[in-house]
Amino acid sequence: MHKTIFITGAGSGLAKGTAFGLAEKGHKVIAPVETAPQVTALREEAASKGLELEVFKMDIKNPQDLAQMLEYDFDVFVANAAVNEGGPLAEVPMSNFRELFEVNVFSTLETAQIAARKFVDKGKGKIVFMSSMAGITATPYVGPYTATKHAIEGIAATMQKELKDHGVQVATINPGAFATGFNDRSAEAKWKWYDEAIHFTRKEDMAEADQALENQYDPAEMIDKMVEVIPLDTHKFRTVFPNETEKKMKEEEAQRWNMEI
């Protein structure tokens, strides 16, 4: 059955590919993006593919932009819009850290609240939070993003229990490291403020950690998985992909119970 799916932050990355993939399957896709130039770019790309997407600017931090959500009726809400920035947690500038929480946690929850109210009124609907393997694992110098995604895991698991009796489903999607440019931009960001003369974190340790980004997965596979799962009426609370990532997440979670300091 075809659904109407609202997916935030659809101007780039996995969400853009997923928006196109869902539209190809015949679903009606509402695909807001963060900036005005992204509106033009996404509309043009959709037209070139012969696909119909409802595209408009919706910066989730902007209350006027958010009000637009009230104008739409939809079956599934995908809270995808997010920013990413790396750096050592002991030294990351607090303004940078706060900005990540502002987008990835506070504004994301605000969008989910709007969707929740709509779904409770209807007695049905599904909220999908785009989490990450970072919602469970901890990777050095990816701490700011990791903290926000741990928060999203707590939000999603709690809302799942709270909204169940209202007929509203809640789930997470947790991708591994995919080569969309999102992770690479995050790794670059810390070098803007890091200064060897001031900070105690060793430059070589961060540079070594960045090398892990050389082996990221092909986004096409994750997009296929998202296109498959998002419209489903029933599936696991947490969708992790690929399988190696799920294995790694489970192993790290188990290790923490026996970890000593």
Side-chain angles (χ1 to χ4, degrees):
M1 192 180 126
H2 291 151
K3 303 272 175 79
T4 299
I5 298 161
F6 193 119
I7 180 164
T8 64
S12 63
L14 296 173
K16 182 168 89 165
T18 300
F20 287 143
L22 289 165
E24 279 165 9
K25 298 275 186 194
H27 299 287
K28 183 182 175 188
V29 182
I30 304 163
V33 298
E34 184 191 0
T35 67
Q38 286 179 314
V39 172
T40 308
L42 192 58
R43 281 179 182 164
E44 286 176 355
E45 196 170 338
S48 74
K49 293 176 186 288
L51 295 171
E52 266 190 60
L53 298 182
E54 178 79 30
V55 183
F56 53 94
K57 175 191 170 289
M58 191 180 89
D59 176 349
I60 65 168
K61 288 198 303 175
N62 182 323
Q64 290 162 316
D65 282 8
L66 273 191
Q68 295 171 104
M69 277 185 73
L70 301 170
E71 298 164 22
Y72 292 92
D73 186 33
F74 42 91
D75 306 302
V76 182
F77 177 69
V78 185
N80 164 82
V83 290
N84 191 354
E85 183 167 330
L89 276 178
E91 301 194 276
V92 65
M94 284 309 296
S95 58
N96 298 42
F97 191 68
R98 282 193 177 94
E99 176 66 12
L100 254 67
F101 266 80
E102 195 57 59
V103 178
N104 295 5
V105 182
F106 306 140
S107 298
T108 295
L109 177 56
E110 198 169 356
T111 64
Q113 286 180 340
I114 296 168
R117 183 166 287 281
K118 280 178 172 285
F119 293 156
V120 167
D121 287 346
K122 284 201 290 187
K124 62 177 183 178
K126 181 169 73 170
I127 298 169
V128 179
F129 286 96
M130 279 303 293
S131 182
S132 166
M133 66 184 291
I136 301 296
T137 59
T139 305
Y141 317 117
V142 188
Y145 182 71
T146 298
T148 66
K149 291 304 180 182
H150 272 59
I152 286 296
E153 288 289 321
I155 287 168
T158 307
M159 284 181 82
Q160 189 275 329
K161 292 176 179 177
E162 291 173 346
L163 297 177
K164 201 175 179 179
D165 290 347
H166 293 279
V168 183
Q169 299 168 299
V170 180
T172 70
I173 293 178
N174 302 61
F178 285 87
T180 62
F182 186 68
N183 300 317
D184 305 79
R185 291 191 298 273
S186 157
E188 283 168 24
K190 62 182 174 287
W191 300 112
K192 289 196 174 92
W193 57 262
Y194 174 78
D195 182 349
E196 241 177 328
I198 301 168
H199 297 108
F200 62 77
T201 304
R202 292 189 312 203
K203 186 178 184 179
E204 55 270 30
D205 290 347
M206 291 198 294
E208 188 184 337
D210 287 352
Q211 286 171 12
L213 296 172
E214 289 166 18
N215 300 308
Q216 296 180 78
Y217 299 110
D218 178 2
E221 295 175 7
M222 187 70 220
I223 288 164
D224 287 345
K225 176 58 75 172
M226 288 169 67
V227 169
E228 173 200 329
V229 169
I230 287 168
L232 292 178
D233 289 327
T234 180
H235 55 86
K236 278 186 177 178
F237 166 73
R238 180 181 288 143
T239 298
V240 181
F241 190 81
N243 292 336
E244 303 96 271
T245 298
E246 182 168 347
K247 186 167 174 259
K248 185 182 174 191
M249 285 166 68
K250 286 176 175 172
E251 282 171 1
E252 183 163 331
E253 226 173 354
Q255 281 167 8
R256 284 187 199 161
W257 289 100
N258 301 311
M259 189 166 65
E260 293 186 12
I261 60 162

